[in-house]
Amino acid sequence: MKVSKVPANVGSVISVRGSVVDIRFDGCLPPIHSVLRTGDDKQIVIEVQTQRDAHHVRGIALTPTQGLARGMAVEDTGGPLQVPVGKAILSRMFDVFGNTIDRQGALSDVEWRSVHRPPPPLARRSTKSEIFETGIKVIDVLMPLERGGKAGLFGGAGVGKTVLLTEMIHNMIGHHDGVSIFCGIGERCREGEELYRDMKAAGVLPNMVMVFGQMNEPPGSRFRVGHAALTMAEYFRDDEHRDVLLLVDNIFRFIQAGMEVSGLMGQMPSRLGYQPTMGTELAGLEERIANTDTGAITSIQAVYVPADDFTDPAAVHTFAHLSASIVLSRKRASEGLFPAIDPLQSSSRMATPGIVGERHYALAQEVRQTLAQYAELKDIIAMLGLEQLSPVDRQVVARARRLERFLTQPFFTTEQFTNLKGKLVSLNDALDGCERILRDEFKDTPESAFYMIGKIDEAKKTAAPEEAAKKVDAKPAAEAKPDAIPEAAVVAHES
């Protein structure tokens, strides 16, 4: 990290409690957010959090404090935490201090900037709204993303947030002209290594930067890694006037790291143990992700929801900053409907006639309405069976079940696990498929033909072998109503 050339301001350690270090300065007190260095090789980095009195500051160590002792000299670097920016950072992997961690040699021809920067003023912000296609049917049809906006993938543990985020990287990075920055907050080292290998294999590393704060690092380091990635993103937006795709996994770990720092500093926690400054800290990060007159930062963020409780303060505060919220459902994942997105809980501010167009808006509303009616009828079907419904309701159920299966999609990133070739579906093809299902064009096609396909025409190809097998095996008595009993049984089982 670059150290500013200022007269040395040296203090001494007076207490060490885990990551919390108290330091005495007899001369000038370093400002808040200043970086201090100590240790035999100046390898221990401390960020000033509070000035306790005229001679004492309290800081959080951004590195392990092993070997730190009372009386050790502490040097004030004269500035805040800084990271490198410039064209030379492309295709590289960094830690929170701007050190390269990909064993590809040292950086050259870079500028170092503070990670603490204000958001762009309102006068510089762009007011244009434009759709950002992902190639994933359920997202593009029901909850379209905004170019230069913020989208959140909400879900508990193991419902597919990281898989969906990785698939979006795969789909968008190929036809995304700008720079992509991946920020791993509290990541497992396995995930970082796999992502690097996958991006290298896909040939997209030349336009990508990765910044990681791993799980085993102190909370201060994990808390600042988001700011470090944003500083790099702002350089490409403001200096090079390029569009930036910022991917964050996982924003909850940022809030969690802030909670740990707050607890270490002795602040009184608010509801459910969160820090009292959570809203301010999250806003300070999110408001820097903005669309300006020179370029745009489009952000997609995974958000872990503790215990699947969407009223948790971390989830509630994050919802407020987003233009699209994609909610992943454990129930849908258990039914094998992947991506396990709940279409009724997910939403997007872009889904208005003025932005997406009248046809898209009307179709999306009709799809939601059909799925909502089916959700209401599930209890009746479970108790009485499908035969007790009116003919109109039976049609609604048939459409909804076909829509549910059509909105599943095989992913490129899971090909090795599913043995299904990944599919990229354009918005027009996705809308066309939904429209044809709602118009009952496929009422005689079995539901299973719609599962894990791309375009709607693939359903006919899938259905042909199934129908041929049925004709060979079916008995005359069963031919009168082949789908009724299994369908009712499946609905009852799912409910």
Side-chain angles (χ1 to χ4, degrees), residues 96 115 183-185 211 221-232 246 248 251 254 285 288:
V96 69
V115 301
C183 174
I185 306 176
V211 190
S221 174
R222 285 181 273 122
F223 185 62
R224 288 290 174 226
V225 74
H227 299 96
L230 255 174
T231 303
M232 295 176 180
L246 177 67
V248 184
I251 209 74
F254 167 77
L285 185 77
R288 288 170 64 181

Side-chain angles (χ1 to χ4, degrees), residues 41 46 70 121 129 135 137 140-141 148 210 221 296 300 339 355 465 467:
D41 301 315
I46 300 165
R70 285 183 183 179
S129 293
K137 290 182 283 192
D140 290 343
V141 172
M210 298 186 195
S221 174
I300 299 171
I355 296 171
E467 287 172 357

Side-chain angles (χ1 to χ4, degrees), residues 169-448:
I169 294 172
H170 182 282
N171 290 359
M172 291 187 286
I173 228 163
H175 61 260
H176 178 70
D177 297 330
V179 177
S180 300
I181 296 181
F182 183 89
C183 174
I185 306 176
E187 282 285 277
R188 300 169 183 85
C189 58
R190 169 186 61 77
E191 293 173 332
E193 189 272 333
E194 285 177 358
L195 181 72
Y196 184 82
R197 190 159 20 90
D198 291 344
M199 294 301 106
K200 194 170 185 179
V204 295
L205 264 187
N207 280 320
M208 193 166 188
V209 183
M210 298 186 195
V211 190
F212 285 96
Q214 290 174 214
M215 272 186 169
N216 62 321
E217 294 182 22
S221 174
R222 285 181 273 122
F223 185 62
R224 288 290 174 226
V225 74
H227 299 96
L230 255 174
T231 303
M232 295 176 180
E234 286 167 340
Y235 163 80
F236 289 108
R237 180 192 67 192
D238 300 335
D239 292 43
E240 296 208 357
H241 309 315
R242 297 174 72 177
D243 282 355
V244 183
L245 180 62
L246 177 67
L247 305 133
V248 184
D249 188 8
N250 184 308
I251 209 74
F252 174 77
R253 303 288 175 212
F254 167 77
I255 294 170
Q256 192 178 43
M259 180 168 60
E260 291 175 48
V261 169
S262 174
L264 288 167
M265 296 303 295
Q267 293 180 350
M268 185 70 73
S270 64
R271 193 162 69 91
L272 298 182
Y274 287 103
Q275 65 270 41
T277 53
M278 177 175 65
T280 311
E281 289 169 0
L282 186 63
L285 185 77
E286 295 280 7
E287 287 302 302
R288 288 170 64 181
I289 304 170
N291 214 347
T292 68
D293 46 12
T294 57
I297 299 179
T298 303
S299 175
I300 299 171
Q301 308 166 9
V303 188
Y304 168 69
V305 180
D308 292 338
D309 178 14
F310 286 91
T311 62
D312 188 271
V316 170
H317 278 77
T318 310
F319 268 123
H321 293 280
L322 305 173
S323 55
S325 302
I326 299 167
V327 177
L328 287 103
S329 153
R330 195 171 300 281
K331 186 173 183 295
R332 291 179 72 82
S334 67
E335 292 171 2
L337 300 171
F338 293 105
I341 296 170
D342 188 329
L344 301 179
Q345 283 194 57
S346 305
S347 63
S348 170
R349 294 179 188 176
M350 301 295 286
T352 60
I355 296 171
V356 298
E358 291 287 350
R359 175 178 177 251
H360 183 165
Y361 177 75
L363 266 175
Q365 290 297 95
E366 194 174 350
V367 168
R368 280 181 190 276
Q369 187 179 0
T370 305
L371 294 173
Q373 283 178 276
Y374 176 45
E376 289 174 4
L377 292 169
K378 274 185 179 177
D379 288 341
I380 298 171
I381 297 168
M383 288 186 290
L384 304 175
L386 192 67
E387 291 79 7
Q388 300 303 314
L389 296 179
S390 67
V392 174
D393 284 344
R394 241 184 273 185
Q395 277 187 338
V396 168
V397 170
R399 287 177 200 142
R401 289 175 62 81
R402 283 165 175 77
L403 279 171
E404 274 186 342
R405 281 146 186 78
F406 174 64
L407 292 176
T408 62
Q409 192 166 338
F411 282 176
F412 291 96
T413 50
T414 57
E415 282 180 4
Q416 56 185 324
F417 309 113
T418 61
N419 290 323
L420 294 170
K421 187 170 170 47
K423 301 283 172 68
L424 189 71
V425 183
S426 70
L427 175 60
N428 284 335
D429 287 333
L431 289 172
D432 181 53
C434 291
E435 188 171 42
R436 289 167 71 181
I437 289 171
L438 289 168
R439 302 297 170 262
D440 291 333
E441 188 176 321
F442 294 90
K443 63 181 180 182
D444 298 323
T445 307
E447 292 168 6
S448 56

